[in-house]
Amino acid sequence: MADPNPPAPAHRAHVPVLAGAVATVFEGVLPGTYVDLTLGLGGHAEMLLDAHPELTLLGIDRDPEALAVARPRLRRFGDRVTLHHARSDELASVLGHLGVTDVTAMLADLGVSSPQIDQAERGFSYRSDRDGPLDMRMDQGRGATAADLIADMDEDTLCRALRDLGDEPHARRISRAVIDAQPRTTAALAEVVRSSVPAARRRRGDPAKRVFQSLRILVNDEIATLDRTLDAGLAALVPGGRMAVIAFHSVEDRMVKTRFRTAAEGDCSCPPGLPCVCGATPTARLLQRKPWVAEAAEAATNPRATSARLRAVETLHAEATGPGRPSPPPP
Ligand SMILES: C[S@@+](CC[C@H](N)C(=O)[O-])C[C@H]1O[C@@H](n2cnc3c(N)ncnc32)[C@H](O)[C@@H]1O
């Protein structure tokens, strides 16, 4: 007999983060190809395809399982949709391979998706009821798992990563314990981390959360990949095209902010506040100086949204890119 309460498809529970801000950024976008660099469950993609009949989608994800979930969701858009398994920094070769030259919109919504975290066997979750192999690869066909990385790593390297990526105050004692224990499962890692920091000294919540996030960023080489992705993305847009990035980590957000500002100021070396005389050429304009963040209603229903920062630029037409500082963006 059929289950009267079948589980909802994974995508139905998924609300794309900062959906209103993403819609605003792409209002009035030029007709052409919209590249979703981190397709995930296809939530933003579906929203933008509905809102913009003039766009076709090239959806990229490094996780083949994400593409398998997004594909049926986007089927109703027919040949407006092309999906491709790749990492975002491989954009140039994907576009070359597919012969796409009219990219007018691009979105990267960084990090992992909820189904990746929810599936114990993917190894992303620090929750004790979701024990699984210590994997954490977004693409399970490529690269070393978190357990292998720990096996190859020394204590100092792990300690630095926990400080830089997790802002972890107990990085030294945690890394010593982890390297000693060599955990191979998520529950074992979470247990080693928690038992190395006495409960009385946990002023900033569960240290396992920060350790898992730092390791995930390392395993997937997320910082260097973002750096290359920003260059590849800006280079691929036609003049007047828009690129938006949603970051959840302060290191990533800073990187996006700096790269977009450099594009908007043309790598200007003049003192701030003075007119540009160094001949720097802006290639883009910021759509808003400050990042878009979640409104209270979204933050209340989606805790993940509270750390989301959306930044966006529009590339300039050749005639608009003379030397000098562009006019300041709206506040
Ligand atoms: C937060 S989810 C995206 C959710 C999506 N915007 C939606 O509305 O459903 C992030 C997705 O991006 C993928 N991803 C993360 N970094 C990536 C990268 N550098 N290249 C390609 N895909 C990436 C992950 O595998 C995951 O499926």
Side-chain angles (χ1 to χ4, degrees):
M1 201 169 97
D3 181 357
N5 294 305
H11 67 72
R12 230 180 257 156
H14 176 77
V15 180
V17 78
L18 300 183
V22 170
T24 303
V25 162
F26 292 107
E27 255 168 35
V29 70
L30 296 170
T33 299
Y34 145 49
V35 179
D36 196 315
L37 292 163
T38 55
L39 185 70
L41 307 180
H44 288 115
E46 181 177 46
M47 180 186 93
L48 290 174
L49 285 171
D50 269 330
H52 295 279
E54 72 282 14
L55 292 178
T56 56
L57 167 74
L58 168 57
I60 291 174
D61 203 292
R62 69 196 291 180
D63 181 357
E65 288 186 25
L67 296 174
V69 174
R71 186 165 282 114
R73 181 179 196 169
L74 302 174
R75 191 159 286 141
R76 67 188 168 91
F77 297 105
D79 61 7
R80 288 176 64 202
V81 170
T82 304
L83 303 188
H84 202 88
H85 176 218
R87 226 176 35 217
S88 54
D89 59 331
E90 296 167 326
L91 178 66
S93 70
V94 174
L95 294 176
H97 173 71
L98 298 173
V100 175
T101 54
D102 64 344
V103 181
T104 58
M106 198 176 295
L107 175 67
D109 172 17
L110 303 172
V112 276
S113 66
S114 19
Q116 286 169 328
I117 292 174
D118 292 346
Q119 289 168 34
E121 64 275 17
R122 299 298 303 264
F124 289 108
S125 178
Y126 58 91
R127 280 177 40 169
S128 50
D129 59 343
R130 289 195 195 134
D131 190 17
L134 194 52
D135 191 323
M136 298 198 193
R137 289 169 302 168
M138 292 189 211
D139 180 349
Q140 291 186 304
R142 240 177 176 189
T145 66
D148 292 340
L149 210 69
I150 290 170
D152 283 343
M153 207 184 258
D154 60 32
E155 186 189 309
D156 286 347
T157 310
L158 181 56
C159 182
R160 238 187 342 268
L162 299 186
R163 281 194 184 127
D164 295 349
L165 301 172
D167 207 12
E168 173 51 60
H170 304 290
R172 176 57 64 187
R173 59 164 70 207
I174 293 174
S175 39
R176 187 172 306 141
V178 170
I179 297 297
D180 275 355
Q182 292 293 315
R184 303 290 304 179
T185 67
T186 55
L189 173 62
E191 176 53 31
V192 173
V193 171
R194 288 180 187 129
S195 56
S196 65
V197 182
R201 299 186 62 174
R202 287 186 210 160
R203 292 204 184 84
R204 295 185 47 230
D206 187 353
K209 182 176 176 183
R210 297 186 289 277
V211 171
F212 272 66
Q213 175 178 263
S214 311
L215 274 172
R216 188 208 83 209
I217 292 173
L218 280 187
V219 166
N220 294 288
D221 195 21
E222 292 176 45
I223 303 297
T225 301
L226 174 60
D227 195 26
R228 293 189 296 266
T229 298
L230 291 170
D231 285 343
L234 289 170
L237 284 172
V238 301
R242 295 184 194 158
M243 179 174 193
V245 181
I246 302 173
F248 296 85
H249 193 284
S250 57
V251 173
E252 291 180 330
D253 180 52
R254 211 174 310 127
M255 187 178 266
V256 177
K257 178 180 169 181
T258 305
R259 186 67 190 81
F260 282 0
R261 193 190 285 157
T262 302
E265 294 183 354
D267 222 355
C268 176
S269 56
C270 302
L274 294 178
C276 171
V277 290
C278 71
T281 306
T283 53
R285 72 179 182 95
L286 303 177
L287 292 181
Q288 184 171 282
R289 191 188 298 276
K290 292 230 161 89
W292 283 266
V293 296
E295 305 210 343
E298 181 177 6
T301 52
N302 179 5
R304 188 169 173 267
T306 54
S307 52
R309 300 277 176 279
L310 166 64
R311 297 183 188 270
V313 286
E314 181 179 283
T315 52
L316 295 176
H317 292 271
E319 63 271 20
T321 62
R325 282 207 173 88
S327 53

